[in-house]
Amino acid sequence: MKICVLPGDGIGPEIMEQALRVLDALRGDGFDFEAETALIGGCAVDATGTPYPEATSKLAKAADAILLGAVGGPQWDNLPREQRPERGLLAIRKELNLFANLRPAILYPELANASTLKPEVVAGLDILIVRELTGDIYFGQPRGIREEGGERVGFNTMVYSESEIRRIGKVAFEAARKRGKKLCSVDKMNVLECTQLWRDVMIELSADYPDVELSHMLVDNAAMQLVRAPKQFDVMVTGNMFGDILSDEASMLTGSIGMLPSASLDANNKGLYEPSHGSAPDIAGKGLANPLATILSAAMMLRYTFNLEAQAVRIENAVKKVLAAGYRTGDIYEAGTRRVGTREMGDAVIAAL
Ligand code: NAD
């Protein structure tokens, strides 16, 4: 199994080191891997003049999976748009055709106080949002701003083909199969034809997944239900724009950005795995960053690209144990728990494995 490792900028290298140590500890448990490291983001700009160098692209294409830390930082904020670190991320997602974005929002019972919602509403929350990432109104043509009747008119096009809906639907049904077997498809079929087609295709597809219970929800209601009673959801699937908004809403239910992993997959389950947070320049290099989102991203990689469910669960259970034992980095610290740094948190997860 070939893993392309892209630590990136800021806290990226520190958190990546811990994730690789955890993967190393699993070697031999039906799992072995080769890891090669390359540059992306600001460090790549400094070394080569571009945020996604050719050598990185070559390595990423040849790998089975990519594990990424984070990119960006204030020292690169004034560069021309093409050279910004974040461009590196957009480029790799596009080049590898990563159309399915999977974002779990899990709130471990021990961290229920980190949420802005009442603990009883969110404790034990475990949602997976599957967002389509390469289509919809963000890419649809025609688009623009034109003159019409003496004023400016802005317009975009919401468009999905049947095949695009089907391929994201499959990812969502498969993911639901690996979890609680409940899938909620989110659309706006009462006013948008495009999402009427979305709903029709999801219903057709459900015939292939009789073991998964499919339901539908309008996006406005979904936004409301996510804060009213989020634990009713298992897997949610939706288009690019609705998913953009709902996945941020869902992740913030947990209140702990250092805990949230993500995956972006292509049609063959090749994936890019990364924490949902950024490069945290304010704490970079200090050994304070929470490595758990990156460690949990590595667990997602084992589950979705390598089909190693048991090993993924081993990592997730180790994280649960560490939290139950009271280990906390600064971002999730509360009185009465044990404050640790990045490496100590890695040590604790490895010990729990
Ligand atoms: P951020 O997620 O980096 O940080 C927000 C806050 O959360 C900061 O206070 C930070 O210290 C804290 N934080 C984040 N991750 C943490 C962790 N693992 N442990 C402990 N605390 C953590 O967001 P930002 O400050 O808006 O952005 C900083 C840089 O990161 C910017 O250059 C931005 O463009 C970039 N960024 C990159 C990605 C990515 O690589 N996918 C995503 C978002 C932002």
Side-chain angles (χ1 to χ4, degrees):
M1 297 166 189
K2 278 195 197 150
I3 305 172
C4 167
V5 177
L6 305 176
D9 308 317
I11 60 170
E14 302 162 55
I15 53 180
M16 183 61 73
E17 187 187 339
Q18 303 315 313
L20 291 176
R21 290 178 67 218
V22 168
L23 288 175
D24 259 333
L26 279 184
R27 274 186 208 272
D29 176 17
F31 167 67
D32 201 4
F33 67 99
E34 276 172 33
E36 268 198 78
T37 301
L39 298 171
I40 194 164
C43 59
V45 172
D46 289 348
T48 69
T50 158
Y52 187 51
E54 188 51 42
T56 305
S57 156
K58 225 171 133 185
L59 201 64
K61 279 192 222 151
D64 300 309
I66 297 116
L67 199 54
L68 187 137
V71 300
Q75 62 271 53
W76 299 290
D77 278 352
N78 296 320
L79 288 174
R81 210 158 271 284
E82 282 312 306
Q83 282 182 7
R84 299 251 180 99
E86 294 74 12
R87 279 288 157 135
L89 266 186
L90 294 180
I92 191 170
R93 286 181 186 146
K94 188 158 183 236
E95 182 176 76
L96 300 179
N97 204 10
L98 305 172
F99 67 89
N101 186 223
L102 275 57
R103 277 194 28 194
I106 296 175
L107 185 55
Y108 299 93
E110 297 84 4
L111 302 182
N113 287 329
S115 177
T116 50
L117 269 70
K118 291 185 194 125
E120 64 268 27
V121 175
V122 288
L125 179 83
D126 184 355
I127 303 178
L128 176 69
I129 301 215
V130 179
R131 166 190 172 195
E132 203 287 330
L133 208 55
T134 54
D136 202 354
I137 194 163
Y138 292 175
F139 294 92
Q141 295 287 345
R143 61 194 297 159
I145 299 173
R146 66 179 174 231
E147 288 284 323
E148 213 175 277
E151 63 172 349
R152 286 171 301 164
V153 175
F155 57 100
N156 289 88
T157 305
M158 178 178 265
V159 55
Y160 266 122
S161 68
E162 203 178 333
S163 57
E164 283 176 309
I165 302 169
R166 200 173 294 278
R167 70 177 185 174
I168 191 73
K170 273 188 181 166
V171 171
F173 273 105
E174 296 286 343
R177 222 173 220 179
K178 289 179 178 171
R179 295 171 41 103
K181 300 190 168 45
K182 271 171 57 184
L183 177 62
C184 178
S185 169
V186 177
D187 59 43
K188 188 73 180 170
M189 60 80 86
N190 51 345
V191 284
L192 297 170
E193 286 81 356
C194 177
T195 71
Q196 172 70 59
L197 178 68
W198 177 281
R199 187 176 288 206
D200 293 347
V201 174
M202 289 296 163
I203 292 170
E204 288 161 26
L205 202 52
S206 68
D208 298 338
Y209 297 90
D211 51 327
V212 176
E213 180 196 320
L214 174 68
S215 62
H216 306 274
M217 200 176 273
L218 297 175
V219 63
D220 43 347
N221 188 24
M224 191 171 78
Q225 295 299 331
L226 270 176
V227 285
R228 194 188 72 85
K231 284 190 270 183
Q232 68 185 284
F233 297 110
D234 176 21
V235 180
M236 300 173 92
V237 62
T238 190
N240 202 347
M241 179 166 63
F242 298 160
D244 189 1
I245 300 163
L246 294 181
S247 64
D248 267 22
E249 186 189 5
S251 67
M252 281 303 102
L253 296 175
T254 72
S256 47
I257 195 161
M259 298 293 305
L260 299 169
S262 81
S264 304
L265 305 178
D266 78 358
N268 302 311
N269 287 341
K270 173 170 179 162
L272 171 77
Y273 298 85
E274 58 181 326
S276 296
H277 59 73
S279 59
D282 51 329
I283 55 166
K286 297 182 179 163
L288 298 175
N290 185 347
L292 293 178
T294 316
I295 290 171
L296 292 167
S297 299
M300 285 187 89
M301 175 180 78
L302 297 184
R303 170 170 297 121
Y304 291 107
T305 291
F306 297 125
N307 235 337
L308 295 171
E309 177 67 21
Q311 288 84 342
V313 170
R314 263 189 80 189
I315 296 180
E316 289 161 354
N317 283 343
V319 169
K320 282 182 195 157
K321 262 194 192 169
V322 161
L323 293 173
Y327 290 88
R328 300 284 188 278
T329 41
D331 57 310
I332 50 174
Y333 178 76
E334 57 180 317
T337 61
R338 177 171 169 187
R339 191 192 285 263
V340 295
T342 310
R343 192 173 174 92
E344 277 172 283
M345 189 58 111
D347 289 342
V349 173
I350 291 164
L353 274 178

